[in-house]
Amino acid sequence: MTHKSGCKFYSLFNGTSGTTAETRQLETTFLSLTTKENNKENSMKKQLLAMACSVACAAPAFAADAEIDHSGEFRARYNYANQADFTEDQGSGSFWEQRFLVGVNYRANEKFAAYLELLQQSVWGNDIANSENPGRFDGNNTENQVLAYQAYGSWMIADGLMAKFGRMVVEDGNGLVLGQDDWQQVPYSWDGGSLAYDADFASLNLTGLKLSDLGFDQNSDGSDDVKTDTEWNIYVLSADIKNLPDVIKDVHVHAIQSSYQNGAAGTATTGADSLRLGLTLGGVVSLVDYSVSYETHSGETRVSGTGSDTDGNMIDAEVGFNFESFMNSRAYVRYHVDSGTSGSDNETYDSFFYNTHANAGLLDILAFGNLTWMSLGYELKPSDSLQLGLHYHMFTKTEKDDNYYVVDTSSINGRTGVTSTGEDDLGSEIDLVATHKYDEDFQIQAILGFFQPGDVFGSDAEDRYDLVVTGTWMF
């Protein structure tokens, strides 16, 4: 819904309209309440939320042709895992988690716009372990914080030429290289800027992102004659070719330069540099659709001044068969292989920041890196509101004497390596999915998964069962 500036505003608190004076009265009351809080941290968070609401409500203060849109999402999820660590009668449990997103888009005119999206996420009851005060969520932790998930401005420089700058979501390589990973409680977003040009033949994008910047370190005695500047930057150049026939309607190419340095520029003795090149092709031929992605990277890792070469590659291919006359169903086969290390050189594929949940099974157990994965699936829609899916996955290590990787959202790029040699069978997984849409804005999805561990996990490893039920309301 779009709300234009004038003598009225739309209240995010009760959905009613009022005058400009009422807007100021509402803001004054809300801000005065936050100043009475004893905890300075919580007060600042509430003021931030009040400022966001003020931007959404105070349309009369802006230009007459300005527009304000708002959107949101509330998601609640139940998770149950039986024998999560593959040990009998161990590691079973359940928990609830929620996520709340609210976004405000301010469009000043045809040239300039700004977007702010706030995020709150929590595991129910998890704050109590920190505050030890049931019913009072006063712990200073991520369970209670309101995060600035996205905050960026955009400028239409000329017809077809758009610049964005700030904190934003960036996806590239079909989500297999850079993805939002929206299934997670806090998805990926990045600080940086982008320049996009929409030509007749292609859409071109140049993006620069600062993944981390730890600033300057002083000496222990407070002097600053010796400084280090630890930072991680990436630069993405991509192109999507347009106006192609259906048989090859999707053509995407990209180059990604990644540079990490632990120390001042030009003198860092620890760090890593890599160049990634990728190609994605896709199309439709009669009842058949296909998609093929290839990614390769090469570079150097430095530890205390000693450098070593790194290389890796990945191929991901899927072929689908569509039967629209039979409940709009689709059968598919998918094959993925990424490199591992077999000798002294590091050739294990660096998974970068891909969509973990959409790949290698819905239970989010195994991650890219020395992984060979094959999947078979069948999806159908018995009605407009119901979709069912059955997926079977088989996993092996590409190189049996190299590590395998598991999904770990607390690590830098969402995965953790596990040392393992001598075996290559990682196991298999079956996922049954049912999604029911009650209307355009609300749906419930249930995932029942079964993972059978392979020889890599040992002869005593037990099967794992998971149930995940997610309700999502868009507004």
Side-chain angles (χ1 to χ4, degrees), residues 68-319:
I68 292 181
D69 302 325
H70 65 80
S71 60
E73 175 199 275
F74 177 75
R75 187 178 77 184
R77 178 180 294 154
Y78 172 76
N79 300 267
Y80 172 78
N82 180 52
Q83 298 171 171
D85 60 356
F86 310 122
T87 303
E88 186 176 5
D89 299 326
Q90 298 290 328
S92 301
S94 63
F95 62 93
W96 284 86
E97 59 187 358
Q98 71 173 51
R99 189 182 77 181
F100 184 83
L101 286 165
V102 59
V104 179
N105 185 65
Y106 170 67
R107 182 181 176 89
N109 49 49
E110 294 182 354
K111 298 291 185 180
F112 297 97
Y115 182 72
L116 174 66
E117 187 171 17
L118 303 180
L119 180 151
Q120 182 275 336
Q121 66 84 28
S122 63
V123 177
W124 289 3
N126 197 43
D127 175 68
I128 306 306
N130 298 282
S131 68
E132 298 181 357
N133 194 1
R136 299 185 186 276
F137 295 97
D138 54 2
N140 184 19
N141 53 59
T142 57
E143 304 294 315
N144 295 326
Q145 294 174 354
V146 176
L147 308 176
Y149 173 56
Q150 292 196 80
Y152 63 83
S154 60
W155 173 27
M156 180 68 74
I157 302 172
D159 290 344
L161 183 61
M162 170 74 76
K164 289 175 63 176
F165 40 90
R167 181 171 299 173
M168 67 192 82
V169 171
V170 177
E171 293 195 296
D172 203 279
N174 204 23
L176 292 170
V177 180
L178 272 176
Q180 183 182 12
D181 213 9
D182 188 56
W183 176 264
Q184 308 303 333
Q185 285 288 87
V186 182
Y188 288 128
S189 62
W190 313 101
D191 293 334
S194 68
L195 191 64
Y197 179 64
D198 190 16
D200 292 336
F201 68 95
S203 296
L204 307 175
N205 286 270
L206 176 62
T207 303
L209 304 174
K210 185 172 287 294
L211 275 58
S212 66
D213 190 346
L214 302 184
F216 294 95
D217 295 328
Q218 291 183 318
N219 293 329
S220 59
D221 62 359
S223 62
D224 58 359
D225 57 327
V226 178
K227 298 179 179 180
T228 61
D229 186 11
T230 299
E231 60 181 80
W232 187 359
N233 302 309
I234 67 170
Y235 305 92
V236 184
L237 177 62
S238 65
D240 291 279
I241 311 302
K242 300 163 59 175
N243 303 319
L244 295 173
D246 287 346
V247 67
I248 188 171
K249 66 176 183 178
D250 297 323
V251 177
H252 172 87
V253 294
H254 67 251
I256 302 175
Q257 177 68 49
S258 174
S259 177
Y260 169 75
Q261 59 183 32
N262 188 357
T267 64
T269 60
T270 299
D273 298 291
S274 68
L275 175 63
R276 309 181 69 99
L277 300 175
L279 170 66
T280 297
L281 303 175
V284 177
V285 181
S286 185
L287 302 179
V288 179
D289 64 82
Y290 73 93
S291 177
V292 180
S293 295
Y294 175 75
E295 183 80 6
T296 181
H297 64 79
S298 61
E300 181 187 55
T301 298
R302 301 178 301 278
V303 179
S304 300
T306 302
S308 61
D309 294 334
T310 59
D311 298 281
N313 59 78
M314 175 271 291
I315 297 176
D316 192 288
E318 180 175 329
V319 178

Side-chain angles (χ1 to χ4, degrees), residues 172-173 175-178 254 256 275-278 293-298 310-316 336-341 345-354 367-372 398-399 402-405 413 415:
D172 203 279
L176 292 170
V177 180
L178 272 176
H254 67 251
I256 302 175
L275 175 63
R276 309 181 69 99
L277 300 175
S293 295
Y294 175 75
E295 183 80 6
T296 181
H297 64 79
S298 61
T310 59
D311 298 281
N313 59 78
M314 175 271 291
I315 297 176
D316 192 288
H336 170 102
V337 58
D338 55 57
S339 59
T341 297
D345 294 335
N346 184 359
E347 298 178 342
T348 303
Y349 177 69
D350 176 5
S351 62
F352 220 48
F353 301 95
Y354 73 106
F368 287 179
N370 192 34
L371 179 68
T372 299
T398 306
E399 299 291 344
D402 192 11
N403 297 343
Y404 69 93
Y405 292 82
N413 60 347
R415 70 172 189 175

Side-chain angles (χ1 to χ4, degrees), residues 354-377:
Y354 73 106
N355 289 327
T356 55
H357 182 69
N359 298 282
L362 297 179
L363 299 188
D364 298 334
I365 297 175
L366 297 172
F368 287 179
N370 192 34
L371 179 68
T372 299
W373 157 50
M374 185 174 181
S375 178
L376 304 171

Side-chain angles (χ1 to χ4, degrees), residues 421-472:
T421 59
E423 301 289 347
D424 60 2
D425 181 15
L426 289 167
S428 61
E429 177 177 324
I430 298 176
D431 299 320
L432 178 62
V433 186
T435 305
H436 188 274
K437 291 187 176 181
Y438 291 86
D439 55 37
E440 293 183 356
D441 301 321
F442 179 67
Q443 71 172 33
I444 293 178
Q445 180 187 76
I447 300 174
L448 180 61
F450 164 77
F451 187 90
Q452 185 175 39
D455 295 338
V456 169
F457 295 92
S459 58
D460 296 331
E462 297 290 333
D463 298 341
R464 169 174 167 173
Y465 305 85
D466 282 43
L467 173 65
V468 183
V469 181
T470 306
T472 306

